[in-house]
Amino acid sequence: MSINSAMLAGVSGLTANSSALAAISQNIANVNTVGYKRSAAAFQTVINAQTGGSGYSAGGVMATARHYTSQLGQLQRTTSGTDLGIDGQGFFVVTERPEGSDRTDSRLFTRAGAFQIDDQGYLKNSAGLYLQGWPADSDGNIDYDPSDMSRLASINVGSVGGAAEATTRAEVNANLKSSQAVNVNNPPIATYTAGAMAAGTFTPDFEVSVPVSDSKGGQRNLIMSFVKGELPNQWFVEICAADPTNIVPAGANGMIKAGVLAFTPTGRLDVTTMAASATNAGGRPWLLDYQTDNTTIQIRASAAAAPVPPQVNWAVGLGIAEQTISFDLDSSVGGLTQYDSPSVVGSTLTNGTAFGNLSEIEIGDEGFVTAIFDNGVTRRIAQVALATFPSVDSLTQVSGNAYQVSDSSGTFNLKTPGSGGAGSIAASQLEASTVDLSSEFTGLITTQRAYSASSKIITTADEMLEELIRIKR
């Protein structure tokens, strides 16, 4: 009967507009939710099969939820360095527990990037979801596989301890007086042997102190001692530890390396002569191997086997790692020179740092999470992973402003930020809700009117049925 179908159509209108009201209410309630994507009720007509000669049968209306997940919200600046927004497409990969996840555990996806460091050092957002990424190894390298979700791990910044960097390079800028007399306060120069200055049988004509840091950040000094040689423009050089007890074997008196350095008639280091042969004209070895461009000294680890001369180790009690230091004595702006002016140290420049504590965490636009220490050392911890989908609007919503993969969304694609269509990371920024209050309140009014109109259909149909019943009377 057409009147009955009209009443049922009115009921469907009430149901559909109730769904619309629910969607609008959800949007308004989440107007300040970070990364929230608005939803709406999409109406579609329901048509009943029509039988000829019996009048029209109203089918009514049906409402289905439509999610605007792909719509991007505005990024807003915050004061927290762990607040993350995505400038472009993609979702953070998150999990409900920080540890013990394997490939069978479900991952969730969100754009709610209000992450904070929890009591265990993990990055967790306001919904209690833990940020996933590719961890870095001890050298800061990232081994990621976009097709393997099991490579991801919850990013932990609290497990990063202090850091130190050993010295690997030393630049010496100094002058040796070219008119320095030979054999000043020393035995005949021809009797000089390597280690004589370390042993105290030869008094250095000049010394340069070179500060270095060991593998634990300990501060140590090396001494470069110089004695004018018997050949023109050449000097005997010994590099020793300022504290001889730091070096094994003990009989070396702290000496690490000894040899000869040659200078040109114009006062610059004569690299060409030293690169032409392994020794000078007197058969003495050069201090550094310019033939193979190996201008380094090496001190083996404390735990290494007993050294065989000319090898030396750090003392066992120090417990520090092997160290190779490259000496730059031929700097274009300075270096070691031999001019007829007083011997003087211009500068000694070394890298390496003392032990430092974690001072801050920095996250770059490519998603690299970097620990910065108060001694200037930086250490890469992880790289944030982003996931993209063929059909973003088809993702299934779950609590916590997150999403799950659905049959219609397609499988995820893991990407590094800024690559393959994924957006870049915006640190100290959060994505605002995509809810427009003016549109929602307008929709609220129209939905209310539509609901009232649908209820009026039922009232009118009821009155018509009542009239029909009165006919019998």
Side-chain angles (χ1 to χ4, degrees), residues 222-462:
L222 304 183
I223 304 297
M224 294 186 70
S225 301
F226 299 84
V227 163
K228 186 72 177 291
E230 74 267 44
L231 297 179
N233 298 324
Q234 294 190 8
W235 294 70
F236 299 127
V237 189
E238 293 178 11
I239 301 176
C240 306
D243 183 351
T245 63
N246 288 342
I247 296 297
V248 177
N253 299 309
M255 193 185 79
I256 301 169
K257 196 163 188 179
V260 181
L261 286 177
F263 294 86
T264 66
T266 58
R268 301 292 298 182
L269 203 66
D270 193 352
V271 174
T272 301
T273 295
M274 291 186 286
S277 61
T279 62
N280 71 354
R284 299 181 185 272
W286 303 115
L287 177 69
L288 302 173
D289 184 3
Y290 285 99
Q291 281 189 306
T292 61
D293 200 28
N294 181 22
T295 60
T296 62
I297 66 168
Q298 184 181 54
I299 309 172
R300 303 198 310 163
S302 298
V308 177
Q311 295 176 335
V312 294
N313 294 5
W314 286 115
V316 175
L318 299 177
I320 53 181
E322 180 177 297
Q323 192 160 359
T324 300
I325 304 174
S326 174
F327 272 77
D328 181 5
L329 306 180
D330 190 34
S331 170
S332 60
V333 295
L336 201 59
T337 59
Q338 184 197 233
Y339 297 129
D340 196 13
S341 59
S343 296
V344 64
V345 178
S347 64
T348 54
L349 307 175
T350 60
N351 64 352
T353 59
F355 178 83
N357 294 305
L358 181 67
S359 61
E360 65 176 301
I361 296 295
E362 183 179 89
I363 303 176
D365 57 4
E366 293 182 348
F368 290 114
V369 182
T370 304
I372 301 176
F373 299 86
D374 56 14
N375 60 357
V377 174
T378 61
R379 180 185 298 169
R380 187 172 290 176
I381 301 172
Q383 186 175 21
V384 176
L386 294 183
T388 60
F389 297 86
S391 179
V392 174
D393 290 337
S394 299
L395 289 169
T396 300
Q397 287 185 327
V398 296
S399 295
N401 200 14
Y403 301 86
Q404 287 180 329
V405 176
S406 70
D407 290 339
S408 301
S409 69
T411 188
F412 62 84
N413 295 293
L414 292 181
K415 297 175 181 176
T416 57
S419 68
S424 58
I425 300 296
S428 298
Q429 297 184 62
L430 291 175
E431 183 177 5
S433 167
T434 58
V435 174
D436 180 1
L437 277 180
S438 60
S439 297
E440 299 302 328
F441 281 123
T442 300
L444 193 63
I445 294 170
T446 57
T447 300
Q448 181 183 13
R449 296 304 183 193
Y451 189 91
S452 297
S454 295
S455 67
K456 197 67 174 175
I457 293 173
I458 298 173
T459 302
T460 302
D462 178 58

Side-chain angles (χ1 to χ4, degrees), residues 68-143:
Y68 295 89
T69 311
S70 59
Q71 185 177 351
L72 303 182
Q74 294 292 327
L75 294 178
Q76 298 178 339
R77 181 70 59 180
T78 71
T79 58
S80 174
T82 56
D83 283 342
L84 303 179
I86 302 175
D87 186 10
Q89 300 296 325
F91 293 80
F92 298 113
V93 183
V94 293
T95 185
E96 294 177 330
R97 57 179 180 173
E99 299 174 342
S101 297
D102 56 38
R103 63 189 312 153
T104 62
D105 292 320
S106 64
R107 261 66 170 195
L108 301 177
F109 307 92
T110 185
R111 289 179 68 94
F115 294 101
Q116 292 182 326
I117 302 172
D118 73 356
D119 57 353
Q120 297 181 6
Y122 291 99
L123 289 176
K124 180 175 69 173
N125 71 6
S126 53
L129 301 175
Y130 295 90
L131 180 63
Q132 299 267 289
W134 292 288
D137 61 19
S138 57
D139 295 323
N141 299 315
I142 306 290
D143 181 20

